[in-house]
Amino acid sequence: MKRHEMREKAMQVLFQLDNTDLTLKEAIGHILEEQPLDPFFKSLVYGVTENLQEIDEKLKEKLENWSLIRLPKIERTVLRLALYELLYMKEAPAPVVLNEAIELAKTYGDEKSSKFVNGVLSKFAENK
């Protein structure tokens, strides 16, 4: 699986966790079915869930005229995933992470999602 596909699967798992009472293991099982657990995918999913409080605090600092709870769930999930990658992983350059997040927002969000995600994440990328 390519990294884009792994990010997409990770976003789907995280979205499920935000919307259901599933455990992390159950959510992963629903999305991956019988596929093996890729290390990059695992790092994303477990990393976001383990650092969720800190990620959310950092997001709150950059959101203007929005509260985290009021954000549409797709945008919130995409932002969490991308911010984890920006702050903790350092494998991909910031422009790649932003582009991937924007593409996920375009695919799963509405017509304004990608611009919103780009605007928020750009504030983090400026500091890199």
Side-chain angles (χ1 to χ4, degrees):
M1 215 180 324
K2 294 181 181 176
R3 286 205 164 192
H4 176 77
E5 294 170 36
M6 287 184 270
R7 285 182 181 98
E8 188 172 26
K9 299 283 187 199
M11 193 270 311
Q12 292 170 352
V13 167
L14 296 168
F15 184 83
Q16 280 193 12
L17 292 175
D18 201 23
N19 292 293
T20 65
D21 291 330
L22 293 174
T23 65
L24 180 55
K25 189 174 181 175
E26 290 169 334
I28 290 171
H30 282 281
I31 298 301
L32 290 186
E33 297 168 348
E34 299 298 316
Q35 295 174 342
L37 211 58
D38 178 89
F40 179 70
F41 168 85
K42 186 176 179 182
S43 178
L44 289 173
V45 172
Y46 282 90
V48 171
T49 55
E50 291 168 5
N51 296 285
L52 189 60
Q53 189 172 3
E54 184 178 340
I55 291 168
D56 283 355
E57 288 303 315
K58 295 211 179 283
L59 278 173
K60 288 176 192 175
E61 293 171 11
K62 302 291 185 186
L63 291 174
E64 294 176 15
N65 303 317
W66 282 94
S67 65
L68 194 61
I69 198 71
R70 279 189 49 231
L71 284 182
K73 290 177 184 169
I74 286 293
E75 284 88 334
R76 184 169 58 226
T77 304
V78 170
L79 287 169
R80 285 171 170 166
L81 180 65
L83 191 54
Y84 173 75
E85 206 170 343
L86 284 172
L87 297 177
Y88 297 93
M89 291 189 75
K90 314 273 192 230
E91 289 178 30
V96 172
V97 174
L98 266 65
N99 186 54
E100 289 286 328
I102 290 165
E103 289 304 313
L104 287 172
K106 283 180 183 176
T107 301
Y108 292 96
D110 64 24
E111 65 276 354
K112 297 177 186 173
S113 298
S114 60
K115 289 179 183 171
F116 179 79
V117 165
N118 184 30
V120 174
L121 290 177
S122 293
K123 294 174 185 177
F124 290 98
E126 290 169 1
N127 300 332
K128 298 284 168 210

